[in-house]
Amino acid sequence: MEKLFLCLFGFMLTQHCFMASLATRITNSSTDESALLALKASLNLNPDHVLSINWSSSFSFCNWIGVTCGIHRRRVRVLNLSDMGLSGTIPPQLGNLSFLVELDLHNNSFHDQLPWDLLRLRRLKRLNLSYNGFSGEIPNGIGRLSMLQHLSFRYNNFSGSIPPSISNLSVLQTLDWRFNLITGSIPPEIGQLRRLKILRIAYNKLSGAIPPTISNISSLELLSLPGNSLSGNFPKEIGNLLQLRMIYLHHNQLSGMSLTASKSQFVA
Ligand SMILES: *[C@@H]1O[C@H](CO)[C@@H](O)[C@H](O)[C@H]1NC(C)=O
Ligand SMILES: *[C@@H]1O[C@H](CO)[C@@H](O)[C@H](O)[C@H]1NC(C)=O
Ligand SMILES: *[C@@H]1O[C@H](CO)[C@@H](O)[C@H](O)[C@H]1NC(C)=O
Ligand SMILES: *[C@@H]1O[C@H](CO)[C@@H](O)[C@H](O)[C@H]1NC(C)=O
Ligand SMILES: *[C@@H]1O[C@H](CO)[C@@H](O)[C@H](O)[C@H]1NC(C)=O
Ligand SMILES: *[C@@H]1O[C@H](CO)[C@@H](O)[C@H](O)[C@H]1NC(C)=O
Ligand SMILES: *[C@@H]1O[C@H](CO)[C@@H](O)[C@H](O)[C@H]1NC(C)=O
Ligand SMILES: *[C@@H]1O[C@H](CO)[C@@H](O)[C@H](O)[C@H]1NC(C)=O
Ligand SMILES: *[C@@H]1O[C@H](CO)[C@@H](O)[C@H](O)[C@H]1NC(C)=O
């Protein structure tokens, strides 16, 4: 009843409605098991695949391959299915793994869009979806994953622009979105990522100027933006960042680059 009321009230404020229904969703360890089984069901597994045999309800899901539970709570903390030759899609139920801290699916053949429900994984610190075939836009709601420290989408087909809500990821250290189809300009809000060390958005379809606010990221060690259509002057202030060791900018239409030789790297 309460949820219904909030949703009706939120009819004009859909965001509020969405948030309210999120808050009323309660999960437990059997929700975790059904989320994992929903994932298994969305995979194109051959019967001999290790997961097909190993992920059996006859055993606790905490002992399933790729699954690590918390020490005190029997809830999934880490899901690591990297390098397993998996093909399939991500079901919305994965968003019910409320205690998930690390999700690593790198080097598989997952495809299609990510379900919005993943934005409910608010404890997530590491998300690695590199080397898959994911597509669709990066949701603006990504800012809700505010505990993220490492975010890697390298080699997928993600499109759309970089959401300004990214500024909410205040503890992010690594952002690696190399080799996707990301368009638009780099939002100035990126300068609010004060813990960021590695920023790699090379080989996308970015255009416009490099925002001078990047010079506010005092922790930045590596900036890699080759293979885009960035234009305008390179903001010289960025070259003054004390931690910055590598800057890669080739294959763009930038001008005004006169950085100190020790920091600049314009080779491949
Ligand atoms: C877990 O939650 C589901 C629905 O959210 C409920 O049906 C089930 O009884 C709960 N299980 C336990 C062990 O609390
Ligand atoms: C599943 O794999 C894990 C890790 O290799 C192993 O410890 C467990 O015994 C396996 N379970 C089954 C049912 O094969
Ligand atoms: C997942 O497993 C792979 C291979 O064992 C390892 O290299 C990687 O660091 C793990 N990822 C996480 C998030 O622990
Ligand atoms: C990717 O995973 C496959 C197994 O599916 C493995 O053979 C291959 O070595 C992995 N690639 C890398 C770069 O680790
Ligand atoms: C899990 O997530 C799905 C989709 O987000 C939702 O419909 C479902 O009610 C959730 N709860 C359980 C217990 O599976
Ligand atoms: C991206 O899409 C193109 C065209 O459909 C496809 O050829 C390519 O393999 C895809 N890349 C990845 C990383 O999935
Ligand atoms: C920013 O993160 C906080 C939690 O730290 C969250 O409540 C808020 O909705 C997020 N804002 C955006 C714009 O994502
Ligand atoms: C993600 O996986 C790739 C391997 O595909 C690895 O090189 C990278 O370090 C990982 N990134 C993070 C942030 O875990
Ligand atoms: C961030 O960068 C912009 C452009 O370089 C600058 O005007 C602004 O003062 C900076 N903000 C802070 C808080 O350092």
Side-chain angles (χ1 to χ4, degrees), residues 26-31:
I26 295 161
T27 63
N28 57 34
S29 64
S30 49
T31 332

Side-chain angles (χ1 to χ4, degrees), residues 54 59 63 65:
N54 193 282
F59 304 90
N63 297 327
I65 198 156

Side-chain angles (χ1 to χ4, degrees), residues 33-260:
E33 179 170 16
S34 23
L36 295 171
L37 289 174
L39 175 62
K40 183 180 174 183
S42 73
L43 300 171
N44 317 311
L45 285 179
N46 68 53
D48 298 331
H49 194 278
V50 59
L51 221 75
S52 145
I53 302 149
N54 193 282
W55 282 28
S56 152
S57 291
S58 324
F59 304 90
S60 161
F61 62 84
C62 292
N63 297 327
W64 291 357
I65 198 156
V67 177
T68 308
C69 289
I71 296 165
H72 302 296
R73 256 184 239 267
R74 299 182 56 74
R75 303 296 301 270
V76 181
R77 226 181 143 270
V78 179
L79 182 59
N80 187 348
L81 303 177
S82 58
D83 304 326
M84 283 194 180
L86 300 171
S87 166
T89 57
I90 304 295
Q93 287 91 335
L94 215 65
N96 288 340
L97 296 177
S98 320
F99 288 84
L100 199 64
V101 175
E102 298 186 2
L103 178 59
D104 192 341
L105 303 177
H106 85 255
N107 186 25
N108 285 289
S109 300
F110 285 102
H111 49 84
D112 287 358
Q113 305 202 2
L114 292 175
W116 277 78
D117 305 76
L118 289 191
L119 299 175
R120 289 193 275 120
L121 299 173
R122 56 187 179 80
R123 290 186 171 84
L124 210 56
K125 290 185 179 165
R126 185 181 289 264
L127 177 58
N128 196 339
L129 305 179
S130 294
Y131 298 95
N132 279 286
F134 288 113
S135 57
E137 298 196 356
I138 293 173
N140 188 35
I142 198 158
R144 271 196 243 128
L145 301 177
S146 59
M147 310 274 270
L148 271 183
Q149 294 173 5
H150 303 283
L151 177 57
S152 185
F153 287 168
R154 178 170 156 192
Y155 276 107
N156 280 282
N157 268 333
F158 284 112
S159 57
S161 50
I162 303 173
S165 86
I166 197 155
S167 60
N168 212 36
L169 306 183
S170 55
V171 292
L172 195 67
Q173 294 173 29
T174 314
L175 188 154
D176 184 352
W177 290 358
R178 274 177 281 174
F179 299 98
N180 279 281
L181 305 169
I182 298 164
T183 52
S185 52
I186 303 174
E189 286 85 352
I190 206 146
Q192 290 169 37
L193 301 178
R194 297 303 166 82
R195 303 274 181 86
L196 199 63
K197 292 181 178 165
I198 296 172
L199 177 56
R200 311 190 83 139
I201 326 180
Y203 299 97
N204 278 280
K205 296 175 180 300
L206 294 172
S207 56
I210 297 179
T213 53
I214 288 186
S215 64
N216 291 334
I217 313 177
S218 53
S219 50
L220 199 63
E221 294 171 6
L222 188 153
L223 174 64
S224 170
L225 302 169
N228 284 289
S229 301
L230 297 166
S231 56
N233 279 331
F234 178 76
K236 289 192 184 58
E237 314 89 290
I238 293 176
N240 296 334
L241 288 171
L242 290 174
Q243 307 296 322
L244 193 57
R245 282 180 191 89
M246 302 283 191
I247 306 175
Y248 301 98
L249 299 168
H250 53 280
H251 295 141
N252 280 294
Q253 288 98 53
L254 292 160
S255 50
M257 292 176 291
S258 57
L259 301 167
T260 56

